[in-house]
Amino acid sequence: MAEEKLPTRAQDFSEWYNQLVLKAQLADYAPVRGCMIVRPYGWALWENIQGQLDRRFKATGHQNVAFPLLIPKSFIEKEKHHVEGFSPELAVVTIGGGEELAEPLILRPTSETIIGHMWSKWIQSYRDLPVLMNQWNSVVRWELRTKLFLRTLEFYWQEGHTAHATRQEAEDETLQMLGVYTDFAINEAAIPVIPGKKSDAEKFAGADITYSIEAMMGDGKALQAGTSHFLGQNFAQAFEVKYLDQTGVQQHCWTTSWGLSTRFIGAIIMVHGDDQGLVLPPRIAPYQVVIVPIFKNDEEKTGVLGVAKEIKAQLAKANIRVTLDERDGQSPGWKFNDWEMRGVPLRIELGPKDVAKQSAVLARRDRPGKEGKVFASLADLPATVEKLLAEIQDALLAKALTFRRSNTHNAQTYDELKKAVEGGFAYSGWCGNGSCEEKIKEETRATMRCIPLDQEAVLGPGGGSASGKCVYCGQPARNRAIFARAY
RNA sequence: CGGGGCGUAGCGCAGCCUGGUAGCGCGCCUGCCUUGGGCGCAGGAGGCCCCCGGUUCAAAUCCGGGCGCCCCGACCA
């Protein structure tokens, strides 16, 4: 329950986030360092995210599977870059049933290796391809510095894995799934994201190319909200994933993988949240509408609750996710604050006066205070609510996009970049040289987030184009990239 | 892995310096009263004071050791 006010975002963004997660009852700290318990409200949000993603995965031909948590340690060692990237953060099981294991097992940090192992058995012919799989699971990475949702030792996600006969097909798949994430983020979560390509320094351990969607949080920092990897033939070679092509020749498969995690909940919090608490996009909010009844005595209570239940039934019938707050002992004012903390997009306040007038007060979460309140007739309430929810969804996206654009700067010079990354994104030319990228990181703490696929969309209409020179060394730019401090 | 902070009621903390009956606020329970922006009053329940050892007539408090968590910086979704 929300007893107290949050610090404002301006005061202390990090503490605002920490307290909000606890007070909105999204998650709590587990008894083990760095581990998280996702509470019912947080998990309901995740289920809505899952639902929206899963239907997109199915629509693009993928099937869900379940691979085991435990993987032989030797598997991870078969792909050179993969082992280098992941060994520092592996959890290793050495004892089972009281006996030292002949071969240690690892808790999966991701499943490329064990899937590659199985594919080598399952894939024989070009007729077996493509293989399009996804799994919803949790993975373990022994992080040193943790934060609820953003970085925990164990986190929940989905990992998609596909195998293809040709390079082109695999590359197409990688970009297709990046597109799925982009569509989901923008149209369901109202988070404007920049799809782009990662630098070699930032790409996944074992990938040839990594793409990501990058979002700007409310403090101007970047968050990688989803990734899609073109793995080339790296894992196919390490695990002998081969097929016989039409001409009778053995070929290695081309594979991809792509993932989006509960970290995305962190993005939703930090993009839409305000000083009152969480603000959820209607399309994925566990409750889209909360009804708060108001009454003085038993007689009023009976009348108001009767109407409130009718309203609830009507809205539910129109497929609106609605809850009625019947809790005794909390005043309406208390409930207003509580549901604002928990980010419910629309609140219906219903008291005796409203019942008498056959109307209700609708309060928009995205416009706190009186400004966001309107009277609505009970007669056509579901239609009114649907319209408002759609407006709120659009308003959240528009607000986030405006915020991002106003904090994204076309930084032509290194000084401009330094200034821009203090509280936002710098969009700058880059020569493509890793040493320039490294210097920028050392000197400004900003990393290269991505090379946007759609250069024009970054700065928006009339935003100009990035410099043709590398922001660090002044050599001709091969790319235009986003630089920012990141979570 | 470095730096800092904190472990006392469900939560947030005070008490510790200067050893002597364990306290405050919130929450919880009961009753009354209230309810249109975090109501009020009265009564009540709730404690291995993180753990182990030492000093002492006496330890939440002093000393030694351990464990845990959080926050801030280097690596990562």
Side-chain angles (χ1 to χ4, degrees):
Chain A
M1 234 142 287
E3 321 84 19
E4 298 235 349
K5 285 201 169 111
L6 294 170
T8 66
R9 289 173 303 160
Q11 275 167 1
D12 187 344
F13 194 83
S14 177
E15 193 50 30
W16 166 85
Y17 177 90
N18 290 337
Q19 291 191 21
L20 173 48
V21 169
L22 299 176
K23 286 178 175 167
Q25 295 178 30
L26 294 170
D28 204 347
Y29 294 100
V32 175
R33 178 196 74 85
C35 289
M36 164 177 69
I37 289 153
V38 183
R39 300 186 65 180
Y41 194 59
W43 195 258
L45 178 57
W46 180 237
E47 283 180 337
N48 288 341
I49 291 169
Q50 285 183 306
Q52 294 294 351
L53 285 172
D54 204 64
R55 78 179 167 84
R56 286 169 167 79
F57 299 158
K58 303 275 171 62
T60 44
H62 303 84
Q63 292 180 304
N64 283 336
V65 295
F67 276 75
L69 167 69
L70 296 168
I71 298 178
K73 187 157 180 282
S74 59
F75 278 24
I76 208 90
E77 286 151 8
K78 289 190 180 183
E79 210 285 334
K80 187 166 138 268
H81 296 101
H82 200 58
V83 64
E84 282 170 11
F86 279 111
S87 8
E89 46 189 270
L90 290 180
V92 184
V93 178
T94 57
I95 295 172
E99 301 268 324
E100 184 96 5
L101 299 174
E103 181 185 352
L105 302 171
I106 59 165
L107 302 183
R108 63 181 167 215
T110 179
S111 304
E112 276 77 3
T113 58
I114 193 166
I115 288 174
H117 175 84
M118 296 311 294
W119 278 351
S120 71
K121 296 182 170 186
W122 296 341
I123 297 169
Q124 307 290 331
S125 150
Y126 70 92
R127 295 178 203 275
D128 299 326
L129 296 171
V131 173
L132 306 174
M133 306 190 325
N134 176 64
Q135 68 173 339
W136 292 97
N137 61 4
S138 70
V139 288
V140 172
R141 299 179 187 178
W142 212 264
E143 301 290 348
L144 300 175
R145 179 150 173 221
T146 60
K147 200 175 176 82
L148 293 176
F149 288 117
L150 297 180
R151 200 180 297 102
T152 48
L153 297 200
E154 180 187 17
F155 60 92
Y156 302 88
W157 76 343
Q158 57 68 217
E159 45 176 323
H161 295 271
T162 67
H164 307 265
T166 67
R167 176 187 188 105
Q168 185 64 49
E169 230 186 84
E171 287 189 344
D172 289 349
E173 166 77 5
T174 309
L175 284 171
Q176 173 184 248
M177 299 322 286
L178 185 73
V180 163
Y181 289 153
T182 305
D183 175 59
F184 161 76
I186 293 172
N187 294 312
E188 307 295 350
I191 295 179
V193 291
I194 299 172
K197 189 176 153 185
K198 287 287 192 182
S199 67
D200 285 351
E202 298 283 332
K203 74 184 183 189
F204 174 73
D208 277 2
I209 306 172
T210 288
Y211 297 94
S212 72
I213 52 172
E214 298 287 328
M216 183 187 285
M217 304 298 102
D219 59 352
K221 286 168 80 173
L223 183 81
Q224 178 174 306
T227 49
S228 186
H229 314 291
F230 170 65
L231 302 174
Q233 294 177 310
N234 301 334
F235 287 90
Q237 282 170 0
F239 289 89
E240 297 287 309
V241 184
K242 292 185 288 190
Y243 70 97
L244 206 57
D245 72 12
Q246 290 92 324
T247 63
V249 178
Q250 287 279 349
Q251 304 273 6
H252 283 106
C253 289
W254 300 83
T255 68
T256 81
S257 68
W258 26 276
L260 186 147
S261 75
T262 39
R263 166 177 263 200
F264 200 91
I265 292 176
I268 292 168
I269 297 166
M270 290 193 287
V271 168
H272 297 307
D274 66 15
D275 291 343
Q276 267 52 256
L278 191 59
V279 178
L280 292 174
R283 292 187 60 88
I284 51 174
Y287 299 123
Q288 296 170 307
V289 176
V290 58
I291 303 168
V292 177
I294 299 159
F295 45 80
K296 285 192 176 63
N297 49 47
D298 279 354
E299 192 188 334
E300 287 184 356
K301 181 178 177 179
T302 310
V304 168
L305 277 184
V307 176
K309 283 174 183 167
E310 274 174 41
I311 292 174
K312 183 185 172 187
Q314 276 176 26
L315 294 177
K317 204 176 161 194
N319 289 317
I320 293 163
R321 296 187 290 276
V322 57
T323 185
L324 169 60
D325 189 347
E326 289 193 68
R327 284 178 292 182
D328 259 342
Q330 268 90 19
S331 69
W334 192 94
K335 290 177 180 176
F336 295 169
N337 285 285
D338 189 43
W339 290 109
E340 279 171 11
M341 182 68 78
R342 302 183 78 182
V344 175
L346 194 66
R347 178 178 68 237
I348 298 181
E349 305 172 9
L350 187 76
K353 295 180 215 164
D354 305 301
V355 171
K357 287 187 295 182
Q358 282 297 292
S359 72
V361 174
L362 307 190
R364 288 176 63 152
R365 178 62 183 86
D366 63 325
R367 293 188 196 163
K370 271 193 174 168
E371 185 202 344
K373 292 196 185 186
V374 292
F375 284 100
S377 162
L378 293 186
D380 48 1
L381 199 59
T384 309
V385 166
E386 273 173 4
K387 186 165 157 285
L388 265 177
L389 290 175
E391 279 180 30
I392 292 166
Q393 182 83 25
D394 292 346
L396 291 181
L397 178 62
K399 187 180 173 194
L401 186 58
T402 301
F403 179 83
R404 192 191 78 202
R405 285 198 170 144
S406 64
N407 290 291
T408 300
H409 302 284
N410 187 357
Q412 310 267 353
T413 67
Y414 194 41
D415 279 344
E416 285 170 5
L417 181 146
K418 284 181 186 166
K419 199 171 164 218
V421 301
E422 288 293 325
F425 290 1
Y427 190 42
S428 301
W430 176 47
C431 62
N433 197 326
S435 66
C436 285
E437 182 189 2
E438 181 61 27
K439 290 285 190 201
I440 292 170
K441 184 176 171 181
E442 280 174 18
E443 294 169 18
T444 70
R445 281 165 49 220
T447 50
M448 214 211 75
R449 302 316 303 158
C450 72
I451 299 159
L453 298 186
D454 182 352
Q455 304 277 326
E456 300 303 312
V458 176
L459 294 167
S465 56
S467 167
K469 290 181 179 173
C470 175
V471 70
Y472 193 80
C473 68
Q475 295 297 303
R478 283 178 53 200
N479 300 294
R480 282 157 186 83
I482 306 274
F483 291 87
R485 292 182 184 151
Y487 279 98

